[in-house]
Amino acid sequence: MTETPLITLNGSTWELAGALRGYLECFTAAVASYDGSTGHAAELEELLASYSQLVTNPANEAGYEQLAATGTGTELIAQLRSESARCVAIIEKYRALRLLEGGGGAEGYFANIESCIAEEFGAVAPDASSTVLLVGSGSFPMTLLNLAARTGASARGIDIDPEALELGRKVVAQLGESLDIELLGERIEQLDFLAEITHIVFSSTVSVKYELLHQLHALTRDDVVVAMRFGDGLKSLFNYPLQPVDPDLWHCSAMIRQPEQVFDIALYTKTRTRMESN
């Protein structure tokens, strides 16, 4: 794999653009090198930990804004968002494989993500009576394991990647045997338990999350709470950003900003429910 780019920048657009092109090259190489083993895991962990520092460093904001205002910059940002998302999926596979081989540990990128989970819902956090759906559960469903273990909630996850589902089920069997967790390969419209869901979490690397949010309005209970992980500005290098929602359907009830974390969280409730309660 190409050597990890340096992230000690002075904030200039030129220097940031050069570093980002280096990251893109590394991400593309990391995707190509995945062979179902953990042979390249340490390199990718180091790369994503370094990238996480870049996207959470305020010194890079000005350079990002100038870069995003150009056509070539916009294209580079879109490519990075897509390739880094693919690398996140792969590093979850590495982590699952390592656990199943007898290893483990939450370091670097994973430590950053896990520290976000505790802040997810705030005052409307799930409890033992809740049923939580995670869209984009991946190979190592940390969110579902943490929520189910801490609250006793029922937890469901969906993912369209068959390999991720297989690994995720093995991880749950090993770490959460006594927990109420189920991972499914169905698409949202195929789920027969949506009316039971009290909380929904969208992974930040799901590109169609706002299309799915629109679709979920007619399929879910009136008091459902949706946690949409996202990244705007500099963080959009690593996450799909906020999008406008139909105000007749959804209302953004809270915005949880996490300056030192790789993603932020928008909480949505149904507009109809909010209007009826006034």
Side-chain angles (χ1 to χ4, degrees):
M1 188 185 299
T2 306
E3 185 179 353
T4 304
L6 296 174
I7 62 164
T8 305
L9 309 174
N10 62 18
S12 74
T13 306
W14 179 87
E15 198 171 15
L16 180 61
L20 292 178
R21 291 190 186 95
Y23 276 108
L24 181 58
E25 182 180 348
C26 290
F27 289 146
T28 302
V31 171
S33 68
Y34 176 68
D35 60 4
S37 75
T38 58
H40 298 284
E43 297 167 73
L44 185 55
E45 287 170 352
E46 181 182 353
L47 178 65
L48 285 178
S50 173
Y51 195 61
S52 297
Q53 293 177 50
L54 184 148
V55 303
T56 56
N57 184 352
N60 297 323
E61 286 283 1
Y64 168 83
E65 293 296 336
Q66 294 175 26
L67 186 66
T70 67
T72 55
T74 300
E75 182 179 357
L76 176 61
I77 290 165
Q79 291 174 325
L80 279 161
R81 188 182 298 137
S82 176
E83 288 298 285
S84 63
R86 295 174 72 186
C87 286
V88 167
I90 291 170
I91 202 173
E92 288 192 359
K93 291 177 181 180
Y94 284 146
R95 188 186 189 188
L97 289 166
R98 183 178 289 158
L99 174 77
L100 298 172
E101 293 169 358
E107 302 172 352
Y109 169 77
F110 280 117
N112 189 295
I113 293 295
E114 288 176 348
S115 67
C116 295
I117 292 172
E119 310 299 328
E120 194 95 44
F121 284 99
V124 288
D127 57 29
S129 66
S130 304
T131 302
V132 182
L133 173 65
L134 173 61
V135 181
S137 51
S139 304
F140 204 107
M142 298 174 294
T143 298
L144 299 183
L145 286 163
N146 282 343
L147 281 173
R150 293 179 184 182
T151 69
S154 298
R156 305 290 179 260
I158 58 173
D159 204 291
I160 60 174
D161 181 347
E163 183 184 13
L165 274 176
E166 180 182 359
L167 288 170
R169 287 166 178 160
K170 290 178 180 178
V171 168
V172 168
Q174 183 163 327
L175 297 181
E177 183 179 4
S178 63
L179 302 176
D180 183 7
I181 300 175
E182 185 177 12
L183 302 181
L184 303 160
E186 284 84 357
R187 296 184 179 276
I188 276 182
E189 66 273 13
Q190 297 173 313
L191 300 177
D192 59 7
F193 54 80
L194 282 176
E196 305 168 16
I197 298 297
T198 59
H199 298 75
I200 300 172
V201 180
F202 278 95
S203 295
S204 65
T205 54
V206 174
S207 61
V208 295
K209 55 193 175 186
Y210 276 94
E211 290 89 334
L212 296 177
L213 178 65
H214 182 87
Q215 185 179 357
L216 278 166
H217 187 273
L219 302 174
T220 51
R221 50 195 283 169
D222 285 346
D223 61 349
V224 70
V225 181
V226 179
M228 183 74 76
R229 296 172 178 174
F230 73 96
D232 280 348
L234 187 63
K235 292 184 182 182
S236 71
L237 289 165
F238 208 1
N239 309 274
Y240 287 89
L242 279 179
Q243 294 182 23
V245 295
D246 184 339
D248 291 331
L249 300 181
W250 294 101
H251 164 67
C252 184
S253 57
M255 192 73 69
I256 303 171
R257 300 286 183 179
Q258 306 181 123
E260 297 181 358
Q261 309 295 353
V262 293
F263 61 74
D264 298 316
I265 302 160
L267 294 183
Y268 293 97
T269 55
K270 289 188 177 181
T271 300
R272 182 177 65 240
T273 304
R274 183 172 62 95
M275 291 174 63
E276 288 174 352
S277 65
N278 289 339

